[in-house]
């Protein structure tokens, strides 16, 4: 039967699908879309950078990740107050703000040098001084030990601090309370002005606050930050300081700012990208209906991709959400291919027109392009980094959903494709000119690609010198402020971190005590100014029992005091209260974790002792570096303690990033290999496989070479962008392979290739100029890479048959 004699299918509506099938397809699509929106509505969105840290870290990396996720560092806020009339007014603002924050109930600790809030803590320590003081040993209570201790206490009375301890002399002649008070004073505290902290290098009052909420609870952190800002405004108004300025920094501030900035930028990119792409499609099709239909697969891909990430990972990272805007540039390609290539060709009968012709002729090529993209991104899904795996799941789910929506939904809505012509004919002419002209430039382009590859190999690791900070949306100004405020309170970000582990609280405390005995000699040598350990406030049960057993009975103590105080201005008969309190301490109950947590020092205990996410306990030891500090000295001193981990934060973050980069290289390499193997299995021709892979390899080499020539520092996300270039470019190379095999470069296919490339390049160019460095990194690679992939595919299009 001739084409003209073939009858049109009954009740299909202009060569479309049967009405019942159309209804089923539309209903299923709406159901999938509604389910995806429902999942997204209940999803948790975060911007925690630790999602881009290894899922299976070693011991030191695990320690660092735990601190980033739930340690005191993740919930510590650094506060500065500038402006005002003078130092006195800034000090008054600091006291007022500190009192307001302590009363808010949102903070477990607020430090600004104001000791008025520590009176209860002093009483608690004094009442338990014999369980807490490291000086309580049998030798301390010998005649010689008592005499030396009393002499030290008497000499203290002649100092400015002596007035505070003079009322305690009869009850504490050995100075245990003075010794414990020293442990509560930070070794590297800022200078004091009017009784509160002030920066040494700038006219600024400083405070330190730690929130009760976990660092990962960004809503609670945002509430704490808003409370600080509101309380400061009230304090400034009360003290008539309108020109006073509040400075805030810390991990929690960065996390909240990152979440907000990523959210704003993602919405901005999505809106601007949709407007620009829609305008381009409207010009190309000359039809509002075609524009709406083209955006349906895009919306489907974004919704399904986001919902899939939420279901697999229990939440969506902000970077993944921002990456969603990149999906516009690729998912719209499927709709463009269909709407242009399914256009009814003059002279063809309805039975083989429109969607059926596209399904038989072009869908296999689109499907293969989809499979190559899936194969490439599948490598990211199995990455050891949860954040990178999220990008893989998002891309695969989004692309598959968009392709299926194109394959099943668009034939229902537009069985004959887009009927409007718009500017497509001019695009087809431009694409035809490119196809005819670029093959002449094949050799120069290959030479440029080889030169680019040589430059990349010559620069080697230096090309990939961007660090972990390159993935952070935090501005350089904010990072500089954070460094200044940390320096003001003596908290360096690059500090050495020491953590002692144990299956139980007591086991962790014993490990912390052993670490302390190793660190004490470093203080004598000037390596450390001091260190903060929870074991000083909550000694292990074994240590408390040893100290209790070191206390002599009342009769023995009286006899030793008679001899020890001979010739001293403090007679033994005046020390009866001391004897009574030592006797009471011999039978006092041991201090437990609950007792310490309920005490005024509970916030300090909770900051330094915490239950690990995977079970067991960890006691953190915070070091204060001295003038002779060296990280290697600390490592050497603690060597041999199996349950004590030591890490230099800056170096460890650098090592984490290097591991991350190596992992990404492996995953991207596996993804590229999977694409090549899939193409080989489908094409079953070495000649065709080479023809398809050549332009992709050359596009990658030229893109990298150009960035190397410009001196750009590349990061892991640039690497992810290269994988996206391969995924996008494979579609172009496959269509040119199809045109080469059929020997017919039809106008519609050329127009579709030109249009999909324009939408992709425009979408990723918008991302390249984003304020979010991580998103900009991807756009900087994909925008030029996609354009090069199209041009190079055209340049190799006329390769002679073997």
């Amino acid at each position: 039967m001739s084409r003209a004699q073939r009858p049109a299918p009954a009740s299909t509506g202009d060569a479309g699908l049967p009405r019942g099938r159309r209804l089923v397809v539309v209903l299923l699509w709406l159901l999938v879309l509604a389910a995806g929106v429902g999942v997204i509505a209940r999803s948790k969105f975060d911007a925690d950078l630790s999602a881009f840290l290894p899922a299976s870290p070693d011991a030191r990396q695990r320690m660092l990740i735990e601190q980033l996720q739930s340690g005191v560092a993740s919930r510590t806020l650094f506060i500065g107050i500038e402006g005002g009339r003078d130092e006195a007014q800034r000090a008054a603002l600091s006291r007022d703000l500190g009192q307001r924050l302590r009363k808010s109930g949102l903070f477990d600790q607020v430090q600004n040098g104001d000791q008025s809030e520590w009176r209860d803590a002093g009483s608690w320590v004094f009442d338990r001084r014999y369980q807490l003081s490291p000086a309580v040993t049998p030798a301390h209570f010998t005649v010689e030990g008592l005499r030396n201790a009393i002499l030290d206490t008497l000499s203290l009375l002649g100092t400015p601090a002596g007035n505070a301890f003079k009322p305690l002399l009869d009850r504490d002649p050995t100075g245990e309370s003075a010794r414990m008070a020293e442990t509560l004073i930070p070794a590297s505290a800022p200078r004091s002005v009017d009784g509160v902290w002030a920066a040494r290098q700038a006219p600024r009052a400083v405070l330190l606050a730690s929130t009760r909420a976990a660092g990962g609870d960004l809503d609670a952190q945002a509430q704490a930050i808003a409370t600080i800002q509101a309380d400061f405004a009230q304090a400034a108004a009360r003290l008539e300081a309108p020109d006073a300025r509040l400075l805030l920094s810390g991990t929690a501030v960065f996390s909240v700012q990152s979440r907000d900035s990523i959210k704003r930028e993602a919405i901005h990119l999505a809106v601007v990208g949709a407007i620009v792409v829609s305008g381009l499609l409207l010009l190309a099709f000359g039809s509002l209906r075609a524009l709406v239909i083209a955006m349906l697969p895009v919306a489907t891909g974004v919704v399904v991709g986001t919902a899939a990430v939420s279901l697999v990972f229990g939440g969506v990272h902000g970077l993944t959400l921002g990456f969603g805007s990149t999906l516009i540039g690729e998912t719209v390609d499927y709709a463009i291919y269909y709407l242009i290539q399914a256009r009814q060709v003059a002279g063809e009968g309805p039975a083989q027109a429109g969607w059926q012709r596209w399904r038989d002729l072009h869908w296999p090529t689109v499907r293969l392009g989809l499979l190559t993209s899936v194969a490439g991104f599948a490598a990211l899904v199995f990455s050891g980094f949860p954040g990178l795996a999220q990008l893989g799941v998002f891309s695969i789910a989004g692309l598959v959903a968009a392709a299926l929506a194109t394959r099943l939904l668009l034939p229902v809505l537009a069985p004959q494709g887009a009927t409007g012509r718009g500017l497509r004919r001019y695009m087809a002419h431009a694409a035809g000119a490119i196809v005819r002209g670029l093959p002449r430039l094949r050799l120069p382009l290959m030479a440029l690609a080889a030169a680019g590859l040589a430059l990349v190999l010559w620069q080697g690791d230096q090309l990939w010198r961007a660090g972990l900070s390159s993935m952070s949306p935090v501005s350089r100004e904010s990072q500089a402020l954070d460094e200044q405020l940390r320096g003001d309170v003596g908290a360096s970000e690059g500090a050495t971190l020491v953590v002692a582990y144990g299956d139980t609280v007591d086991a962790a405390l014993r490990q912390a005590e052993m670490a302390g005995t190793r660190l004490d000699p470093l203080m004598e040598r000037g390596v450390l100014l001091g260190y903060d350990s929870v074991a000083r406030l909550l000694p292990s049960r074994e240590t408390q029992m040893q100290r209790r057993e070191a206390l002599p009975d009342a009769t023995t103590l009286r006899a030793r005091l008679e001899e020890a105080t001979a010739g001293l201005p403090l007679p033994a008969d005046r020390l009866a209260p001391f004897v009574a309190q030592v006797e009471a301490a011999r039978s006092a109950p041991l201090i437990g974790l609950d007792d310490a947590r309920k005490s005024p020092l509970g916030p300090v205990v909770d900051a330094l002792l915490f239950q690990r996410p995977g079970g067991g306990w960890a006691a953190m030891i915070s070091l204060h570096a001295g003038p002779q500090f060296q990280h290697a000295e600390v490592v050497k001193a603690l060597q041999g303690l199996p349950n004590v981990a030591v890490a230099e934060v800056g170096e460890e973050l650098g090592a984490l990033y290097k591991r991350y980069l190596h992992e990404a290289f492996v995953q991207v390499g596996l993804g590229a290999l999977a694409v090549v193997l899939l193409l080989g299995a489908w094409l079953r021709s070495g000649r065709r496989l080479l023809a398809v892979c050549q332009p992709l390899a050359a596009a990658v080499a030229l893109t990298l070479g150009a960035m190397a020539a410009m001196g750009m520092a590349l990061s892991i996300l640039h690497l992810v962008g290269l994988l996206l270039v391969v995924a996008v470019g494979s579609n172009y190379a496959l269509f040119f392979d199809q045109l080469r095999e059929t020997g017919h470069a039809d106008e519609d296919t050329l127009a579709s290739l030109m249009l999909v490339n324009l939408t992709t390049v425009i979408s990723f160019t918008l991302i390249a100029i984003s304020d979010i460095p991580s998103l900009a990194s991807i756009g900087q690679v994909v925008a030029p890479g996609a354009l090069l992939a199209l041009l190079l595919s055209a340049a190799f299009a006329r390769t002679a048959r073997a």
Side-chain angles (χ1 to χ4, degrees):
M1 182 181 294
S2 68
R3 181 180 299 173
Q5 294 174 326
R6 291 173 184 166
S11 41
T12 60
D14 203 18
L17 295 170
R19 185 171 299 133
R21 184 176 174 185
R22 282 184 290 167
L23 181 61
V24 170
V25 169
V26 172
L27 288 177
L28 284 177
W29 174 72
L30 291 174
L31 182 62
V32 169
L33 210 61
V37 171
V39 171
I40 294 172
R42 294 188 294 272
S43 297
K44 174 186 175 183
F45 296 88
D46 63 75
D48 185 5
L49 188 60
S50 61
F52 285 82
L53 297 175
S56 302
D58 58 30
R60 289 185 303 176
Q61 293 170 349
R62 186 180 301 110
M63 171 186 67
L64 183 60
I65 292 172
E66 287 176 356
Q67 288 300 306
L68 289 173
Q69 291 177 331
S70 57
V72 66
S74 67
R75 51 191 181 87
T76 297
L77 300 172
F78 300 91
I79 307 170
I81 300 175
E82 291 184 342
R85 289 190 303 270
D86 49 27
E87 282 190 332
Q89 188 175 55
R90 289 193 293 271
L93 283 169
S94 175
R95 280 192 295 272
D96 192 315
L97 178 60
Q99 291 169 2
R100 291 174 186 270
L101 296 181
R102 294 183 187 104
K103 293 177 182 178
S104 70
L106 298 178
F107 304 89
D108 60 12
Q109 190 176 186
V110 178
Q111 299 182 54
N112 63 346
D114 185 357
Q115 300 300 322
S116 61
E117 301 289 337
W118 288 86
R119 292 171 183 166
D120 292 341
S123 299
W124 188 85
V125 170
F126 181 79
D127 293 340
R128 294 159 181 80
R129 61 192 182 278
Y130 296 112
Q131 291 128 300
L132 299 175
S133 174
V136 177
T137 62
H140 191 59
F141 285 90
T142 63
V143 173
E144 182 180 2
L146 287 168
R147 185 175 182 86
N148 290 336
I150 292 172
L151 286 171
D152 290 342
T153 303
L154 292 174
S155 65
L156 179 65
L157 299 179
T159 66
N163 291 332
F165 294 101
K166 190 173 182 178
L168 307 177
L169 185 61
D170 294 350
R171 291 176 290 167
D172 187 21
T174 57
E176 310 308 330
S177 55
R179 191 170 289 105
M180 287 304 301
E182 292 179 359
T183 66
L184 298 178
I185 300 175
S188 55
R191 68 187 180 96
S192 182
V193 173
D194 289 349
V196 295
W197 288 346
R200 298 182 183 276
Q201 305 296 329
R204 181 165 57 225
V206 291
L207 303 88
L208 193 67
S210 58
T211 61
R212 293 188 185 277
D217 188 349
L218 294 190
D219 290 335
Q221 296 299 330
Q223 181 185 2
I225 292 170
T227 298
I228 294 174
Q229 294 169 336
D231 287 350
F232 174 78
Q234 293 176 11
R238 190 181 75 81
L239 296 172
E240 299 180 352
D243 59 337
R245 299 184 302 277
L246 176 70
L247 306 176
L248 270 173
S249 189
T251 303
V253 175
F254 287 168
S255 296
V256 172
Q257 289 178 345
S258 298
R259 180 185 66 173
D260 294 342
S261 62
I262 288 174
K263 180 180 178 180
R264 287 195 305 270
E265 191 71 5
I267 294 174
H268 171 76
L269 289 173
V271 171
V272 174
I275 291 174
V276 173
V277 171
S278 297
L280 179 61
L281 294 180
L282 190 59
L283 289 173
F285 292 122
S287 166
L288 184 61
R289 180 173 181 271
L291 169 63
V292 173
I293 292 174
M295 299 307 292
L296 295 181
V298 176
T300 306
V302 172
V303 169
V304 172
T306 306
V309 170
S310 179
L311 291 173
V312 173
F313 297 94
V316 183
H317 194 275
L319 185 58
T320 305
L321 188 63
F323 190 72
S325 58
T326 70
L327 209 61
I328 295 176
E330 188 170 2
T331 53
V332 76
D333 293 357
Y334 301 131
I336 292 173
Y337 285 137
Y338 175 82
L339 291 173
I340 293 179
Q341 296 169 358
R343 188 177 64 86
Q344 186 171 5
V345 179
E348 287 193 346
Q352 283 298 318
W355 68 271
Q356 292 172 317
R357 182 171 56 86
W358 178 83
R359 179 196 61 191
D360 297 337
L361 182 61
H362 295 294
W363 168 247
T365 303
V366 173
R367 181 177 58 199
L368 179 57
L370 169 66
L371 292 176
T372 58
S373 298
V374 170
F377 283 110
L380 298 182
V381 175
F382 301 102
S383 169
F385 299 86
L388 203 57
Q390 280 199 24
L391 296 183
V393 170
F394 178 83
S395 300
I396 291 175
L399 292 175
V400 170
L404 290 177
T406 302
R407 172 64 180 82
L408 301 175
L409 180 66
L410 266 58
V412 172
L413 302 177
Q416 302 298 340
T419 56
R421 294 291 295 173
L423 298 178
R424 282 187 291 155
R425 69 184 66 184
Y426 303 106
M427 293 180 181
H429 295 333
I434 291 174
V435 170
R436 290 189 296 271
L438 276 180
R440 301 190 187 99
L441 302 177
R442 185 184 310 143
L443 291 179
L445 288 172
M446 290 179 65
L448 283 175
L453 180 60
L455 182 59
V456 169
L457 295 176
W458 179 67
Q459 290 198 9
D461 293 341
Q462 181 63 20
L463 181 61
W464 303 92
R465 61 186 181 276
L468 191 62
S469 60
S470 65
M471 300 175 62
S472 172
V474 180
S475 67
R476 293 183 179 179
E477 292 77 11
S478 296
Q479 293 179 25
L481 174 62
D482 185 69
E483 185 177 350
Q484 291 174 11
L485 293 179
R486 287 177 183 273
D488 289 343
V489 299
S492 172
E493 189 172 287
T496 295
L497 191 64
V498 179
V499 180
Y501 298 106
D503 293 335
T504 64
V505 171
D506 210 53
L509 293 173
R510 286 198 299 272
Q511 293 296 322
E513 289 169 346
M514 287 189 283
T517 60
R518 303 279 190 92
L519 295 174
D520 289 338
L522 299 184
M523 295 172 58
E524 300 174 3
R525 291 163 43 197
V527 176
L528 296 177
L529 294 177
Y531 63 89
D532 302 322
S533 173
V534 69
R536 289 176 170 173
L537 304 177
L538 178 61
S540 66
R541 294 179 59 84
E542 181 181 352
T543 297
Q544 291 187 58
M545 293 174 63
Q546 289 175 351
R547 291 171 181 172
R548 192 166 61 178
E549 292 170 359
L551 300 174
D553 59 50
T555 303
T556 303
L557 182 58
R558 290 192 192 95
R560 293 176 181 175
L561 284 174
E562 289 287 347
E563 189 175 350
T565 57
L568 298 181
L570 185 64
D573 57 3
R574 185 179 161 183
L575 300 179
F578 169 59
V579 175
Q581 293 203 354
V582 170
E583 182 65 21
R586 296 180 70 234
S587 57
L590 302 180
I591 304 171
L593 176 59
D594 290 341
D595 301 321
R597 281 178 165 172
K598 293 176 183 177
S599 76
L601 294 174
V604 181
V605 173
D606 284 334
L608 297 176
L609 180 68
F610 53 91
Q611 194 164 15
R612 302 178 65 195
W617 290 80
M620 188 172 73
I621 301 175
S622 177
L623 306 182
H624 300 278
Q628 307 298 324
F629 179 81
Q630 289 185 348
H631 173 71
E633 290 285 334
V634 177
V635 174
K636 182 179 178 182
L638 298 177
Q639 193 171 9
L641 295 178
N643 294 320
V644 175
V646 186
E648 203 284 322
V649 176
E651 291 182 1
E652 204 60 44
L653 285 175
L656 277 172
Y657 183 79
K658 288 181 180 178
R659 175 180 170 181
Y660 188 7
L661 181 61
H662 178 265
E663 177 93 2
F665 265 109
V666 172
Q667 299 297 338
V668 169
L670 290 175
L673 178 61
V675 170
V676 173
L677 293 176
L678 180 61
L679 290 173
W682 182 273
L683 299 174
R684 297 183 181 180
S685 167
R687 174 187 57 79
R688 294 180 66 187
L689 178 62
L690 180 62
V692 169
C693 292
Q694 271 183 330
L696 301 181
V700 170
L702 279 172
T703 303
L704 279 177
M707 292 182 170
M710 290 186 293
M712 293 179 61
L714 303 188
S715 69
I716 293 164
L717 292 171
H718 288 98
L719 191 59
V720 173
L722 290 176
L723 186 61
L724 196 53
V725 169
V726 174
V728 173
S730 64
N731 291 274
Y732 309 146
L734 285 169
F735 268 110
F736 276 107
D737 174 73
Q738 179 190 25
L739 296 176
R740 182 172 54 248
E741 290 300 307
T742 59
H744 174 59
D746 67 273
E747 182 178 289
D748 285 339
T749 300
L750 292 178
S752 65
L753 287 172
M754 175 66 77
L755 185 54
V756 297
N757 187 255
L758 279 176
T759 57
T760 299
V761 172
I762 289 174
S763 296
F764 282 96
T765 299
L766 292 174
I767 293 168
I769 59 177
S770 166
D771 292 332
I772 306 297
S774 52
L775 294 179
S777 298
I778 297 175
Q780 290 164 1
V781 175
V782 181
L787 179 59
L788 286 170
L790 176 71
L791 297 178
L792 288 163
S793 295
F796 287 92
R798 290 193 177 180
T799 301
R801 292 172 180 262

